Amino acid sequence: MGIAEVHPFAKSIIMEAGERIRHSFSEKWKIETKADANDLVTNIDRETELFFIKKIKEFDASFKIFGEEGMGEKIDSLDGVVWIVDPIDGTMNFIRQHRNFAISIGVYVDGIGKLGYVYDVMRNQLYYGIDGRGAFMNEVPLKPLKPISLEKSIIGMNAIWVTPNKKIEHEPMIDLIRRIRGTRSYGSASLEIASVACGRMDAYISLRLSPWDIAGGAIIAKEVGAITSSLKNELINLSNQDTFIVANPGIHQEIIENYIKLK
Ligand code: 2AM
Ligand code: CA
């Protein structure tokens, strides 16, 4: 079976999980913190991850699942078919805003991205990409990106990186912001990557993303010609937390060379 044949199944379980999440607004959630006081998780994140694991294993027990909430297997390599799953990307938005969160899934075969999904649950918009066959939003093809200049760009980033911080020199970031048209910050990495793939934003920069935040979006972005890399311009790394940029091909190199000074 070719991996593209897994697409209808992936789509069906993502839509079903989205329906369950929308339903959960009528229940009382359990909210806990993880690594720090702003790192939140709910029973819905965990239940959604378990839902995916159960469905995927029923479909094909050889598929491996690497999920944010750690309820899949311990994965020590990307050999074989690996599903990288974030059941809710933007948990703080889920809890506080009841919108602006997504299900993010990437299906990799021997480390190569084959199927990527970002499902905006409250807008019922499914962004997906199939390796070599294009990217879509609710079945409408996304257009290849045309190169843009920095002067015309909107860039997604968290305002924290424009204040003195431990990870990046903030002064060049101020210069970057003065040069572009504007900034946005939505608080869900996968939705921000999808926005770049659609041309609603021209880049998204983050200093700390995990594999599940980018695994789905990176495949969608590649299909429209957006460029993804670490902020050191290395290939993205799906094993550890790292810096990340996705950008329109007209501005990717210029941002990294002229404005990113990592500490
Ligand atoms: P999450 O909701 O799945 O944790 C918020 O700026 C975006 O960054 C979200 O996509 C959030 O994903 C992600 N993120 C990942 N690791 C993070 C961290 N250590 N601190 C803040 N946001 C993080
Ligand atoms: Ca998450």
Side-chain angles (χ1 to χ4, degrees):
M1 184 176 57
I3 198 71
E5 290 167 43
V6 175
H7 168 64
F9 164 72
K11 188 176 150 188
S12 74
I13 57 173
I14 290 167
M15 302 309 275
E16 190 179 340
E19 183 60 33
R20 292 162 67 104
I21 292 171
R22 287 189 295 268
H23 233 83
S24 79
F25 285 101
S26 59
E27 300 160 14
K28 192 163 171 23
W29 305 322
K30 280 198 239 34
I31 302 171
E32 292 163 31
T33 56
K34 293 194 284 186
D36 62 61
N38 297 324
D39 188 6
L40 304 175
V41 64
T42 72
N43 58 308
I44 309 302
D45 299 61
R46 297 199 170 110
E47 285 164 23
T48 303
E49 185 162 309
L50 281 176
F51 167 84
F52 280 121
I53 292 167
K54 178 168 173 289
K55 292 286 181 180
I56 294 165
K57 286 287 180 189
E58 277 169 12
F59 184 83
D60 188 328
S62 76
F63 289 174
K64 295 192 280 184
I65 302 143
F66 179 29
E68 173 169 17
E69 307 312 334
M71 309 183 94
E73 303 114 294
K74 287 271 163 287
I75 303 275
D76 43 29
S77 84
L78 288 180
D79 293 347
V81 178
V82 181
W83 292 59
I84 304 180
V85 175
D86 191 345
I88 299 185
D89 178 46
T91 299
M92 199 187 297
N93 289 346
F94 171 64
I95 295 169
R96 292 288 307 277
Q97 306 190 327
H98 295 186
R99 70 199 73 193
N100 300 329
F101 63 89
I103 295 170
S104 165
I105 294 185
V107 183
Y108 286 70
V109 178
D110 296 331
I112 299 184
K114 295 291 183 183
L115 303 172
Y117 301 89
V118 175
Y119 181 45
D120 183 333
V121 173
M122 303 313 284
R123 290 190 174 90
N124 189 27
Q125 292 176 331
L126 178 67
Y127 301 89
Y128 67 92
I130 301 182
D131 180 34
R133 299 195 193 177
F136 305 82
M137 197 274 276
N138 287 354
E139 315 303 336
V140 179
L142 302 183
K143 297 192 183 85
L145 296 180
K146 295 198 185 95
I148 198 168
S149 66
L150 272 178
E151 283 69 21
K152 290 188 174 161
S153 295
I154 298 178
I155 299 186
M157 69 172 76
N158 188 321
I160 197 87
W161 310 124
V162 192
T163 66
N165 70 81
K166 288 190 194 134
K167 297 202 173 188
I168 191 167
E169 300 291 350
H170 70 286
E171 271 116 359
M173 299 300 277
I174 296 173
D175 294 339
L176 175 64
I177 287 176
R178 289 200 171 121
R179 189 163 164 203
I180 63 178
R181 270 204 174 136
T183 56
R184 299 290 183 274
S185 185
Y186 295 103
S188 162
S190 64
L191 283 178
E192 308 204 56
I193 300 167
S195 293
V196 173
C198 290
R200 293 192 300 257
M201 289 206 299
D202 306 299
Y204 166 66
I205 296 170
S206 176
L207 273 291
R208 48 171 185 210
L209 285 186
S210 298
W212 43 81
D213 296 314
I214 56 180
I219 297 167
I220 301 169
K222 184 195 74 167
E223 288 299 313
V224 296
I227 301 175
T228 54
S229 71
S230 76
L231 291 174
K232 292 181 182 159
N233 210 5
E234 303 151 332
L235 291 178
I236 58 172
N237 160 358
L238 291 169
S239 317
N240 298 303
Q241 211 178 57
D242 202 351
T243 61
F244 178 74
I245 178 170
V246 56
N248 175 289
I251 61 175
H252 175 268
Q253 199 179 345
E254 197 176 2
I255 294 174
I256 292 189
E257 282 182 5
N258 295 347
Y259 297 99
I260 302 292
K261 305 279 177 254
L262 295 171
K263 285 183 178 168

